[in-house]
Structure formats: structure tokens, C-alpha cells
Amino acid sequence: MKRLAVKLDSVFKHFHKRRGFNGTVLVTKYDKVIYKGAFGFADFFRKDTLTTQTAFQLASVSKQFTAMAIMMLQEEEKLSYEDSVQQYIPNFPYHGITIRQLLTHQSGLSNYTYFSDKLWPDRNKNLTNEDVLNLMAQHRPKPYYQPNTHFDYSNTGYSLLASIVEKVSEQPFAEFLRERIFEPLEMKHTFTYSPDVATLTGPIATGHTRFRQKRTTDYLDTVLGDKGIYSTVEDLYKWDQALYTQKLVKRETLEEAFTGGILKKKKNQTEDYGFGWRIRSLENGDTAVYHGGLWHGFSTYLLRNPKEHSALIILSNLPNGSFSYLQDIRQFLYPAQPDSAATQKPQGTLARAHQ
């Protein structure tokens, strides 16, 4: 393990110096942290150094927490995966869409980040989840597909799931996450985005353009469920560890989140999708669950290999293409075995799991 840690340190130092990696990383094997590091700045203008306690916007890595909130309510029999959206949002104009289809990206709904650009009149006014619902009820933007016919990655679906959590639990989504997930797991540096920056505690990374210019937040940042959670690599390690226990939901409930739900796969599709998790074969033949995200200058990646209780967590605030080395890191951590069933290289990197 020590040798692996030394090698990882040299690999990430190389990525920092030669490929411009700016961010934090944590790697585990058999539940133990074998390596963690921080490289570069939280803010290039202020030149404040990153640490493993710095919080980053998780972008689409937030989706697994939204899925967990739904699973908790399902386990409490407050909702069913087969319920229609109208049971919780009566004026929702698209019929035949279930909670399960939202979880597995098979609703066919159009992307709110695109239709809001056309339909939201005042960019200085923050858009909320309730506003997204109202825009859909009022303007009925045309769906991309009929429900249950295609896997089509949908930020809209996960914003709807957050709204359903609010309706069922009768509390704000951010409050539900804090009370039911973050506090019980002692994730003390994890929170949801708020326009009132004064409420955000601890060191927080600033998102940047690839030219190291500061990215500012905009009216879309206040929609939660598909994005909007901030966390650190150390808190995400607590999250990873909790998923090996039954602290939040029963084992069989969680098992479904890690089971592929795509009904009609494309010909060369090598991945599947559960509830807030992508599912793929690693180079060594093990099955991993993972997710990545891109949003407003942040690039994030969390991969778990349940077979050996290992994880790779990387958070960056400089999307300069430096995440293109993810396949190199995976091959290093999970090298292909001569008799491995993983005969073809898995496709795709973080960019395909974009927010």
C-alpha cells in the first residue's frame, strides 16, 4: 500500500506540473485512505492554497444524494418508484412519467438549462425548482422522447426529484439533505448552494475558466437536485463508507441503485445507469459505480469499486482538459488481468457525465 501511495503522489504531482491539474484527490483501498492530496489554488486571483478540507461544487455528483433522498422516502413507504409525477405535482403537464424513469434518465423530458434560457425573462432573478415546474406547466416545452423509450441523461428529471422530495417530506430539499444525510454522517463541510454566500461555511473553491478566469454563479445555480451540493474529498469518503452500511437505507434498497435500469441500450453501449450512479466494467473486470460532473468551472469524479471497497475521488476547479487522464488512473489502480473478462476498453471519461 505504501508503494502505491508513493506512486500515486508522483502521478498527481506530474499531472499538476505538466497537465495543469488543480484540485484535490483521495484514494482508498479496502476502506482505508491510502492517498490524499491538494494541488494548486482555491482561487487563482487570491492565490489561496487548496487543502483536502476545501469544498467544491459537486455538479452532477450531486445526483446520487438526490437519489438517496428518494430511496429513503420509498423505504418509509411515503412514495413508490412506480408513482406518476402528477401524484406529487398535479399540474405537471407530461403524463406517463414515473419516479423510476426520472431516476434512470428515461423520462424523455427536455433540458431545463436550455428551455429556461428562452423562457426565463430576468437573468438577474434566481431560478428555483418551483420556477422550473411553473415554466413547464405554462409553456410545455416539447419533450425529446416519449417516456421509457430512450436513455437520455436529464438534469430536468433530477430537479423534479428534488421537488418531489420537498412535497413528500414537507421541508425544503436542502434541509432534508442536511438533517437526513449530511448531519448523521458527520459531513461537516457539505452543504447545498445558497445565493447568500454568508451562510456558506469553511473554505470554498472558486470555479474557473480554463484560462484561470473566475467563473461567477448565475440564475441557474439555485436549481437543486441535478447539481448544487458542495463537499470535500474527506466528506465524500464518509459518504462512500456509509454506503457499505445500512445507516441511511437497507442493503437491498441500495442494491437497486447500483443495478442497471436502462431498458433499451444502444448497440455499443458499455455502461448502464442505476439511481444516480453510472455502472461500468473496470479494466480488471470488476464492476464499478461512478459519476462525474461539470458545472461553472468545476470538474468532479467519484468512482467506487465495491468488490474491494476502494474509491477514487477527484475534485477540480479548473476544467482545462486535465481530467482526460482518468483512464490512465483507472488502469493504474485496476490493471487488466491476463484472464480478465474486461477485454474491451471501457468508453468515456468525465466529459460524458457532464452536468
Side-chain angles (χ1 to χ4, degrees):
M1 290 295 186
K2 266 190 180 171
R3 192 181 295 170
L4 184 57
V6 169
K7 179 71 174 157
L8 280 166
D9 189 53
S10 108
V11 164
F12 277 99
K13 277 178 178 161
H14 170 79
F15 286 142
H16 174 56
K17 283 179 184 164
R18 300 278 177 235
R19 298 205 202 174
F21 171 66
N22 193 89
T24 59
V25 57
L26 186 145
V27 181
T28 72
K29 280 255 186 191
Y30 307 112
D31 296 321
K32 301 280 185 240
V33 176
I34 60 163
Y35 179 72
K36 63 181 177 179
F39 303 87
F41 298 115
D43 186 311
F44 279 91
F45 179 73
R46 294 203 306 265
K47 295 280 188 282
D48 47 354
T49 306
L50 281 169
T51 76
T52 53
Q53 281 93 45
T54 306
F56 291 70
Q57 151 80 268
L58 296 186
S60 283
V61 173
S62 304
K63 287 181 169 75
Q64 57 203 246
F65 293 93
T66 306
M68 175 59 78
I70 290 286
M71 287 189 285
M72 293 169 99
L73 293 170
Q74 185 270 342
E75 203 172 81
E76 292 162 14
E77 298 184 353
K78 291 179 178 170
L79 58 76
S80 160
Y81 299 141
E82 313 316 324
D83 289 345
S84 73
V85 175
Q86 279 82 8
Q87 285 177 243
Y88 306 98
I89 305 163
N91 67 340
F92 186 68
Y94 308 95
H95 291 266
I97 296 173
T98 65
I99 289 175
R100 184 183 297 278
Q101 287 156 14
L102 298 179
L103 286 165
T104 58
H105 298 289
Q106 291 173 103
S107 68
L109 292 167
S110 58
N111 193 333
Y112 81 86
T113 60
Y114 299 148
F115 69 66
S116 299
D117 262 353
K118 298 187 184 110
L119 303 173
W120 191 242
D122 183 1
R123 298 296 166 79
N124 295 315
K125 188 179 172 216
N126 289 324
L127 187 74
T128 67
N129 288 60
E130 197 65 30
D131 293 326
V132 172
L133 293 176
N134 291 337
L135 287 178
M136 294 177 92
Q138 189 180 343
H139 298 280
R140 304 191 174 205
K142 192 179 175 195
Y144 297 147
Y145 302 106
Q146 286 295 307
N148 237 30
T149 60
H150 292 76
F151 172 83
D152 189 61
Y153 187 80
S154 175
N155 293 316
T156 308
Y158 270 74
S159 74
L160 284 173
L161 289 169
S163 294
I164 290 169
V165 170
E166 291 195 337
K167 309 276 185 197
V168 174
S169 66
E170 298 180 340
Q171 63 183 143
F173 182 64
E175 197 178 285
F176 182 95
L177 292 181
R178 182 172 52 78
E179 284 183 11
R180 300 290 304 275
I181 300 176
F182 305 153
E183 285 180 356
L185 300 185
E186 296 185 9
M187 297 171 72
K188 292 175 182 170
H189 303 288
T190 303
F191 49 87
T192 44
Y193 174 77
S194 164
D196 178 11
V197 180
T199 65
L200 309 181
T201 55
I204 302 168
T206 300
H208 296 83
T209 69
R210 64 194 181 95
F211 304 110
R212 302 188 175 188
Q213 300 297 310
K214 183 175 178 176
R215 282 293 306 260
T216 52
T217 55
D218 65 23
Y219 76 107
L220 292 169
D221 277 271
T222 34
V223 178
L224 302 176
D226 58 321
K227 59 177 171 12
I229 293 175
Y230 282 69
S231 191
T232 67
V233 288
E234 295 191 1
D235 271 8
L236 289 173
Y237 167 56
K238 292 177 180 177
W239 164 246
D240 161 68
Q241 289 297 287
L243 297 177
Y244 292 113
T245 72
Q246 302 189 81
K247 280 180 188 170
L248 299 175
V249 290
K250 292 176 191 155
R251 197 158 279 118
E252 51 269 31
T253 301
L254 193 55
E255 203 54 49
E256 198 166 357
F258 302 143
T259 304
I262 301 177
L263 297 174
K264 296 176 183 176
K265 286 190 186 173
K266 291 175 184 166
K267 229 180 190 177
N268 297 319
Q269 196 163 338
T270 57
E271 296 190 354
D272 214 320
Y273 201 99
F275 297 167
W277 293 92
R278 293 178 182 268
I279 302 157
R280 65 175 298 148
S281 287
L282 290 168
E283 284 76 357
N284 67 355
D286 293 350
T287 298
V289 293
Y290 83 101
H291 219 291
L294 287 174
W295 181 253
H296 285 181
F298 293 94
S299 307
T300 58
Y301 188 78
L302 193 167
L303 177 143
R304 304 175 71 242
N305 178 353
K307 186 177 177 184
E308 62 172 39
H309 284 223
S310 67
L312 169 64
I313 305 167
I314 307 177
L315 304 177
S316 173
N317 59 336
L318 185 67
N320 57 358
S322 58
F323 264 36
S324 59
Y325 56 74
L326 276 173
Q327 187 156 315
D328 299 344
I329 297 285
R330 282 199 311 267
Q331 285 173 342
F332 171 65
L333 288 172
Y334 308 107
Q337 306 302 313
D339 57 344
S340 169
T343 49
Q344 66 182 103
K345 283 186 183 175
Q347 300 299 305
T349 61
L350 175 80
R352 289 202 304 114
H354 71 282
Q355 166 58 47

